[in-house]
Each structure stands twice: as C-alpha cells, then as structure tokens.
Amino acid sequence: MEPGSSKTEGPHSLPQPVHDVVHPPRRHIKVAVVGSGLAGLTAAYILSRQNERQLDVEFDVHLFEKASSLGMDAQSVSVPLENGEKLRVDVPMRSFQGGYYRHLIALYTHLDIQLKCVDFTYSFSHLRGLVTPTELPVMGTYFIYNGQNGKRGLGLPSQYLWYYSAGQSIRAAIKDFTSTKLMPLLGFTWATLMFFACYVRLIILSTPAWRLSLWGSPAGETLAAWGKRTTPRDIISTWVGFDVAWDEFVRQVVLIMFSAMCTSSAEDLWAHPVEAILDYTWLTLFANHFVVANGVQDVVRRLSCRINPANVHLSSPIIQVLPDPTSSGKLRIVCPSTRIDGFSHIILATQATQAVPILSTYLERLPHAEKQRLEINRIIECLRNFEYRKNIVVTHTDTRLVPPDERDRRDLNLIRLQPLQDSPSPGVPFLSKSYLAVPPTFTMTTHSVKSDSSSQFIYQSTNPIIAPSSSKVLSVAYMDRPILTVRSESAVRDLSMDDPRRAAWWDLLRGRPKAKVLGALQGGGRRRDVGWDRPLPGIWICGSYAYEGIPLLEGCVASARMVIEQGVMRSEGLDAWDVLA
C-alpha cells in the first residue's frame, strides 16, 4: 500500500477512516538570558534554534540588556572619511586566531559570516623619559614583526637604517656608517639571532610533551615564577649571554604581547597563570589571524534574528530575581519598567561582578529551609574570585600614539614605557593625568585602521598611556575586562572543567583545545533534580571568564554552548541538537 493510502489491502477492501496524528500539547519552558554580549547572544540563539527539532517542548527565550542597544556592538562607531564615505570601526577591536578559537569559528561558519584573514604585522616601541606639560616622551621602535606566521620575517627599525648622501665621498660615507650605525646594527643582528633562539625555546617549552615531563610542568606557576625557573643557567648559556637574552625575551616580547592581548597591566600579567599562556602559544602556532569582514554588527544581526523581538528587553537592568510566588520552582525577574514571572532557567551572561548582586537578591528571598540556598551561596562565593580591570579604548586620529617614523608603523603598534615598569611607584607618575589615559604599567596598543577605498588612517588605542589630543578623539569607550589569576583559575573549574573521559594532554598534542564539561556549580542544583515533579529553577553562568584559559571570545561561545547543550537541555530531560555541528 502506498504511504498515505486510505484503503487496506485485499480484493474486498473497504475505505478506512484517516486519523490525523495527535501530538500532545507542547510544553513551554521560559528562559531568561541576562546580558547581550557574545555569550548571551550565543546562548539565546542556540536555545531558540532548539525549537526547530523539539516536538514536545518550546523554549520561550527572553533577552535582558541594561544598555539601550545589544551589547556586542554597542560601542562601535561609524567614522566619516575625507572621501565622503563612512568607516565602521568595531570597539573594541576583535580578532581571533585559528587553532585556539574553534568554537568561535564554528559559530561564525554556521552563521555564514564572512571572515577576513589579516595576519597582523607588529611594531614594538619604547617611550623614553617622562612627559612634561610641554613635551612628550621620545618614542623609539626596537622590533618589527612582519606577520604571515613569520614567513615575512622581521623588519629593520628606522633607527638602524642608513642612507648614502649625494656628494659624499666613499671614505666619508664609510666613516659615517661605522661611527653611527655599524655597532648598533651589529647589536641588532645579534639580538635578532637571540630572539629566534628564544622563540624556538618558547615553542619547545609550550609543547604538551615537555609540559608532561617532571622538569617541564608549569602547573600552578605564574609567568614571573616560570620565567625565573626556565632561565638557562648552564655555563655555555651564561658565557654567550643566553640567560640575559631569555630574560629580555620574556620581558620585552612575551610580557608585552600578552599584556596587550589580555589588556592587563604588567603586574597583573606577571601574576597570570603561565599554563594558559603556554596553551595559547601552542594552539596558535602557525595559525592565521581573522576578523569579521562586515563587522560585529553583522554578528549581532544574525545571532539576534531568531529571538522574538517582543522578548528583547533593552534598557532593562535586573533589579531583583525572586522565587515566583505564583508557580513553584520558577523565577520572577524584576526590572525598572517590567516584572515577568514563570522562568524555569536564568542564564547569567554578565560579568561576575554583576552576577553576584543579582544572585544575592535571589538568595535573600529564599526561605532558610530551601535546599537551593547552599547552591546559590556557593555560586556567589565562586564568582567573587574573579577580578576585573578598567580598560579604555579611544578611537582617534592622533599620530603621536604611533611610531613617529611611518616606516616603523604596522597594523598593531605596541608601546611601553622604558624602562619597563612592573608596578606603579611614586617615581613613575601617570604619563598623562587624563580621563583618556591609564597608568604606564599597561601596554598601549594602537591599531591602524583604513578602508580599502581610502588612504586615510584611523587609529584605535587600547589603554593609552599617553592621552590623545581631545580635538582628535572620535570616540571613547570604558569597559571592565576580566583577568586570570591563580585564584580565579582554580574557581573556574567549578563552572567548566576538563572532561574526565578525555585525556587533556592528548587533545593538546593534536593541536585541539581541551574537551570540557560543565562544572559542579552550574545549574544551582538543578542538574541533580532531573525528573522531580517540582525541580529547582536552573541558575547558569556563561561568559569569557567562565571557561578555562585566557578570558577571550572563545570562552564566551564555548561556555554558552555548554550551558545550553549540557545544562538546560539535559536538565529538562531532552537531547540537545548540536546546532553548530
């Protein structure tokens, strides 16, 4: 019989009635996502997509954002250019590197977002001398990296260049060169050879095989302690100066690169767990840099398109999270202009410092006999281990914040005070006592931006240690950035941890990030209540800080993905559809 036929087989068959398949009414599950950064948008998107595969369940996703626009693109600006066009500048600049950002790249590939391979070039410069009311410190470039994973090699800073003057005799030219450039150039050549040796050594020390050995394990070490421990002390290294070269490499290259990437000060970077730095070094080895070709506004548009516009609550800071008095096991969310009941889950995709007061309002209203009190209190104590630092991002046209010689300027210009200051001291005041500058212990990173149709450069300086001229400032953004400490590295394991079924070293050896599962505190006790008639409301945490490693975009996507697939879905007794697969 053909599918859909209304007759039974046989010579005397009679017409049979056709009965429509009756599905039970769909169970509605209300979920609140607090925060519309990349973590919040990803969680809301993946959860909304689950409705396409679940026949008996429908997720009603609400997105709460305290700002007047969705957070990921809230600070970006459109800059008018001299040719009449407008250049969209993402604030802050967001780039990512293959190898480390597997979850992020999987998300962007799924969303069909166009990626642009950029392979940044870098310049490293020092500021010598302190600023006065009438003059700025002298900026000198000492190192240039020409990108393409080292294929283009290193550049020669302009201070080492020498040109023959017309009309100058050969003898005078030789004398001029030997007296002014020869010794500095020889010193630069020797320093370059030492750099390559140190870079190869860094790669060896970052390999999983080395770190598994008894003499190579960096577990629990900070960058400062690791740098001292790994300084070569044998006779040959001391004789050729390799011990000094390694110390300078750690200070002048490793510290500055990761201080810029983590947007943290030198003192914070010295206290940074070194294992996360070595993981990043190993996983990004020979990997390309990418940016989103059409800006993060394209990401926001594609991620938010699945959310019901009526459920996007902008300008809605959370005042309270309360037990829902009308429904057991549900939550009530109170904002200045609205109050919504019936939430089975709340996903806090906010900073840890913002999640704590939200959860505290919930804890205050829980009855003392309520079994979830202990779980919420443990989450709050965990989140208090995460620290944040104020960052400033200034978009401007002030060329004083890039190397003075155009031949030294690159895509990313990293600038530090010389001598390097590891911590503030009375002898090293702010270079600029301005709301546009940070202490000189930070690395100032100035990104040179221009459109394909214009030769005009726009600059974006993250954590400027010299305040740009106010007349050349296009936009200013202030934001808090999480930093990784030994204490927070331990605390994050309660939010996400290594998958015990997988060998983390084997994943790293294959060039893949460690496989993760949700930590014990995720869900606020909800995961242990699966199948109960009156389950606890789910309390979930995601964000860059809620995933092991350096707090970056990858942690936003990976933690959101785990919370939905391993948390919300499983706690509801459902099989998650891997949306990004």
Side-chain angles (χ1 to χ4, degrees), residues 200-493:
V200 171
R201 189 168 189 261
L202 174 63
I203 294 174
I204 294 172
L205 294 179
S206 68
T207 58
W210 179 270
R211 286 190 274 160
L212 281 171
S213 64
L214 293 176
W215 60 90
S217 175
E221 275 188 317
T222 63
L223 176 62
W226 177 84
K228 291 179 181 178
R229 180 175 65 83
T230 56
T231 299
R233 307 197 184 278
D234 57 278
I235 296 176
I236 296 178
S237 296
T238 304
W239 184 71
V240 300
F242 193 58
D243 56 340
V244 176
W246 176 255
D247 181 69
E248 286 297 298
F249 176 79
V250 173
R251 286 178 171 273
Q252 307 277 19
V253 178
V254 177
L255 176 70
I256 291 179
M257 280 290 295
F258 282 91
S259 174
M261 187 180 72
C262 300
T263 61
S264 59
S265 63
E267 61 266 31
D268 286 332
L269 214 285
W270 282 127
H272 194 290
V274 74
E275 195 163 17
I277 293 175
L278 296 177
D279 281 349
Y280 187 91
T281 302
W282 172 250
L283 291 172
T284 58
L285 185 64
F286 305 128
N288 293 318
H289 273 96
F290 298 93
V291 296
V292 175
N294 297 315
V296 295
Q297 59 184 348
D298 186 33
V299 178
V300 172
R301 180 179 61 83
R302 293 172 187 262
L303 283 175
S304 60
C305 68
R306 298 278 177 171
I307 308 171
N308 183 350
N311 291 350
V312 178
H313 309 280
L314 299 177
S315 302
S316 299
I318 305 299
I319 297 177
Q320 286 181 312
V321 174
L322 308 172
D324 187 347
T326 65
S327 181
S328 177
K330 302 294 177 64
L331 298 171
R332 166 182 287 177
I333 291 183
V334 181
C335 300
S337 57
T338 187
R339 183 185 71 187
I340 306 177
D341 294 334
F343 289 103
S344 299
H345 303 269
I346 180 171
I347 300 171
L348 294 172
T350 64
Q351 297 171 4
T353 50
Q354 295 174 357
V356 167
I358 292 174
L359 290 176
S360 296
T361 64
Y362 179 53
L363 184 64
E364 290 171 1
R365 298 297 293 270
L366 279 176
H368 287 286
E370 175 62 52
K371 59 184 178 180
Q372 199 175 29
R373 282 189 64 88
L374 178 61
E375 299 288 344
I376 300 303
N377 194 59
R378 290 176 62 197
I379 294 175
I380 291 174
E381 291 304 314
C382 172
L383 295 179
R384 283 176 174 156
N385 289 293
F386 296 93
E387 299 180 33
Y388 287 76
R389 296 292 183 267
K390 293 288 184 183
N391 280 192
I392 304 175
V393 181
V394 184
T395 306
H396 60 91
T397 57
D398 194 340
T399 56
R400 299 178 306 159
L401 277 67
V402 292
D405 195 312
E406 293 185 2
R407 295 169 297 182
D408 293 331
R409 296 175 188 173
R410 294 297 186 267
D411 298 326
L412 296 174
N413 303 279
L414 280 56
I415 302 163
R416 284 291 306 270
L417 181 66
Q418 173 67 21
L420 292 178
Q421 298 295 326
D422 296 341
S423 60
S425 66
V428 184
F430 278 58
L431 293 183
S432 301
K433 293 183 178 180
S434 166
Y435 67 97
L436 297 177
V438 298
T441 57
F442 283 81
T443 297
M444 176 171 67
T445 306
T446 299
H447 180 207
S448 301
V449 187
K450 74 180 186 71
S451 70
D452 296 333
S453 59
S454 172
S455 60
Q456 180 185 359
F457 276 99
I458 304 297
Y459 301 108
Q460 185 181 99
S461 293
T462 302
N463 292 328
I465 56 179
I466 299 173
S469 172
S470 57
S471 62
K472 297 183 178 182
V473 171
L474 302 173
S475 75
V476 182
Y478 299 92
M479 53 196 68
D480 293 328
R481 177 74 184 268
I483 62 169
L484 188 63
T485 64
V486 173
R487 190 173 67 170
S488 65
E489 184 185 45
S490 175
V492 78
R493 297 188 184 106

Side-chain angles (χ1 to χ4, degrees), residues 41-61:
L41 288 173
T42 301
Y45 175 82
I46 294 177
L47 194 56
S48 298
R49 288 295 306 272
Q50 297 295 331
N51 289 331
E52 300 174 15
R53 293 288 184 93
Q54 302 296 332
L55 297 178
D56 60 341
V57 171
E58 182 175 356
F59 290 99
D60 185 15
V61 182

Side-chain angles (χ1 to χ4, degrees), residues 445-557:
T445 306
T446 299
H447 180 207
S448 301
V449 187
K450 74 180 186 71
S451 70
D452 296 333
S453 59
S454 172
S455 60
Q456 180 185 359
F457 276 99
I458 304 297
Y459 301 108
Q460 185 181 99
S461 293
T462 302
N463 292 328
I465 56 179
I466 299 173
S469 172
S470 57
S471 62
K472 297 183 178 182
V473 171
L474 302 173
S475 75
V476 182
Y478 299 92
M479 53 196 68
D480 293 328
R481 177 74 184 268
I483 62 169
L484 188 63
T485 64
V486 173
R487 190 173 67 170
S488 65
E489 184 185 45
S490 175
V492 78
R493 297 188 184 106
D494 286 327
L495 303 177
S496 68
M497 62 182 186
D498 292 342
D499 189 341
R501 300 167 298 178
R502 300 273 293 272
W505 65 269
W506 178 244
D507 287 329
L508 283 175
L509 193 61
R510 294 186 299 160
R512 299 175 63 87
K514 305 171 189 175
K516 299 291 181 183
V517 294
L518 285 177
L521 297 184
Q522 289 279 19
R526 174 61 183 256
R527 289 189 291 162
R528 291 191 288 275
D529 280 352
V530 176
W532 283 36
D533 293 334
R534 293 187 302 166
L536 299 173
I539 309 294
W540 312 94
I541 308 294
C542 64
S544 63
Y545 68 91
Y547 194 75
E548 189 179 56
I550 302 172
L552 298 168
L553 295 176
E554 174 70 1
C556 295
V557 178

